[in-house]
Amino acid sequence: MSENLSAIFYLISGVLFILALRGLSSPETSRRGNFFGILGMAIAIVVTFLSIGSFSSVFIYVLFFLLIGGSIGAFVAFKIPMTAMPELVAGFHSLVGLAAVFVAISAFLNPEVFNLGSSGDIKISSLIEMSIGAAVGAITFSGSIIAFLKLRGIMSGSPITFKGQHYINLLLGLSIIVLIFYLCKTQSDSIFWRIIAISFLLGLLLIIPIGGADMPVVISMLNSYSGWAAAGIGFTLENTALIITGALVGSSGAILSYIMCKGMNRSFFNVILGGFGGTDQSPSGKSKEQKPVKNGNAEDAAFLMKNASSVIIVPGYGMAVAQAQHALREMVDTLKKNGVKVSYAIHPVAGRMPGHMNVLLAEANVPYDEVFELEEINNDFANCDVAYVIGANDVTNPVAKTDPQSPIYGMPVLDVERCKSVLFVKRSLSPGYAGIDNELFYRDNTLMLFSDAKKMTEDIIKSLN
Amino acid sequence: MIEIDPFIFRLSIFILSIFIGYYVVWSVTPSLHTPLMSVTNAISSVIIVGAIIASLAGNSENIFDTANIFGFLAIILAAVNIFGGFLVTQRMLQMYKKKKKDK
């Protein structure tokens, strides 16, 4: 196949990828969008085979490895529980990053294949492109591994900080740039390896100071990085499909990070520099816990909700941890049979990744037109009888609106306190991720339901029947 | 007239694609942000193209020389992502249902 023809096919697959993302603008068109994505990928792979033309014995190996990887991927995709989606996405990011590193390495070792010059005499522009691709890929890889370990709970979610951390990162970043400069001058292997090694280290150090609940930003950011790494490799290989895709993914991840930061009213740098929330408990915490709270049980909750005309459910990460989404849907079905109007309110940073709650509710067969975003539903709380807060905390804290001293001041919150009564399912009175007390717990119209989210919801179902 | 470096054309494609990405992603509904991440994951694995070239066009007398091995490894990783990414996206999207009209 001629170079020009295959370039046109790569362009077509790039366009199909754009359509794949476009499809996600509504759930109805999304499945067709995913199909476009698969088609684009198939075109890109087949065209690559055809453009090489000579089907040597290596071809069998390529197909073999393709099948191995494909079956692992398919197996994981079918087996993974929806609650583990954040880890899965982090894991996938790490693979893209590592694949970018490997492609860059093989291009560096064997530049003739890609028309980049000969070993030891690679074009300067290609050298810059491939080392940027490799560096960003390596950062994506090791950063995603840390994110994966934190999300999976293998590594503690609390931030790991030490003195001079940011200076070390800055130094590492600068040294990568200096090394790329020297690589262009000397074409030396050892410098290339050093760039990759330092980038791995930088990826680790960038993510360890970021705490568990900031993971939505981290995942989006790594998503973006994996795109830029792909684009860097795309420039090296002079491949349009890869350049288009890299740019799409890069900007997609950047936008998601922006939306997540806005959802927490924090700047991107504030999140990236890390160390927010986590271990440092305020000394005043103990005295506050002696404030009286109203303690309720499943029957009280069932009574309140049964007699309400409208209920709004506010899910959070706790729902995901307790796997309470199915029980929740069942409870809502029972309420609906009793003529109660029920809707769901989702905060942009609820859960551990963008859209986390929506996927879990969808899994439990909650129709997506009953699920609302913060701006759509926030005014409805005032006319609502009961808010059922399950596994959420900081995103409902009215302190964000009233106390300029609070670390979460200015963060958009769900106005659950405007409901006639608030039911809070929580295991204890402990503060949320931000380490601050939620004054909602102590209000007159709040009833605390101390229990596991799933167990409490199941008990409420029993009391309703 | 002096010819323009082809790099400039690729840079133009890159910059324009960033803008396309920007507008397309803003129109993605927030409830589909998780599938968005998994599908972008899958499509960025088009990097497999580079891995295939690296291993196919390489030295065929010595199949397992270093450059080839890295190519093969990259193929496995990217293939995990392609299949895993698209299938898990498909699985998620199938769960998004509208309210049933009857009842």
Side-chain angles (χ1 to χ4, degrees), chain A residues 130-206:
Chain A
M130 74 171 80
S131 38
I132 291 176
V136 180
I139 293 172
T140 312
F141 171 69
S142 53
S144 303
I145 293 288
I146 299 293
F148 175 85
L149 294 176
K150 285 194 172 191
L151 287 165
R152 190 94 206 138
I154 299 170
M155 206 174 138
S156 155
S158 56
I160 300 169
T161 48
F162 52 86
K163 246 192 168 164
Q165 196 163 24
H166 305 316
Y167 293 104
I168 292 177
N169 291 347
L170 190 67
L171 211 64
L172 290 177
L174 288 175
S175 67
I176 291 173
I177 296 170
V178 172
L179 283 175
I180 292 179
F181 180 74
Y182 277 104
L183 179 69
C184 295
K185 279 189 127 175
T186 60
Q187 305 258 347
S188 140
D189 284 22
S190 65
I191 291 186
F192 186 68
W193 297 119
R194 244 173 271 173
I195 292 174
I196 293 175
I198 293 177
S199 307
F200 277 132
L201 184 64
L202 181 59
L204 296 179
L205 291 176
L206 275 177

Side-chain angles (χ1 to χ4, degrees), chain B residues 1-81:
Chain B
M1 203 178 114
I2 308 159
E3 247 180 71
I4 299 172
D5 189 328
F7 173 79
I8 303 299
F9 290 116
R10 286 190 283 277
L11 188 67
S12 326
I13 294 172
F14 180 63
I15 304 287
L16 292 176
S17 303
I18 292 179
F19 278 92
I20 294 174
Y22 180 84
Y23 290 109
V24 168
V25 171
W26 271 118
S27 73
V28 171
T29 161
S31 68
L32 291 176
H33 275 162
T34 300
L36 171 69
M37 302 201 91
S38 61
V39 87
T40 50
N41 229 312
I43 65 172
S44 56
S45 303
V46 74
I47 202 158
I48 197 169
V49 166
I52 293 174
I53 297 174
S55 30
L56 259 193
N59 190 348
S60 52
E61 289 101 66
N62 184 6
I63 292 173
F64 288 101
D65 85 330
T66 331
N68 271 15
I69 288 178
F70 279 113
F72 288 143
L73 288 175
I75 288 179
I76 299 180
L77 297 178
V80 171
N81 241 326

Side-chain angles (χ1 to χ4, degrees), chain A residues 49 54 87 92 118 157 181 188 210 265 272 329 362 378 400 406 452:
Chain A
F49 282 143
S54 70
E87 297 96 288
F92 278 168
S118 58
F181 180 74
S188 140
I210 306 178
N265 189 41
I272 294 313
R329 211 276 332 279
N378 227 4
S406 166
D452 174 74

Side-chain angles (χ1 to χ4, degrees), chain A residues 305-306 311 331-340 342 464:
Chain A
M305 286 199 270
K306 211 173 187 171
V311 172
M331 183 187 93
V332 170
D333 284 350
T334 320
L335 285 175
K336 278 192 202 154
K337 263 183 230 150
N338 286 299
V340 184
V342 188
L464 280 172

Side-chain angles (χ1 to χ4, degrees), chain A residues 352-372:
Chain A
R352 287 293 186 264
M353 71 183 295
H356 193 184
M357 292 299 120
N358 303 80
V359 171
L360 293 181
L361 291 177
E363 187 200 10
N365 283 322
V366 173
Y368 61 80
D369 37 10
E370 287 175 13
V371 182
F372 298 93

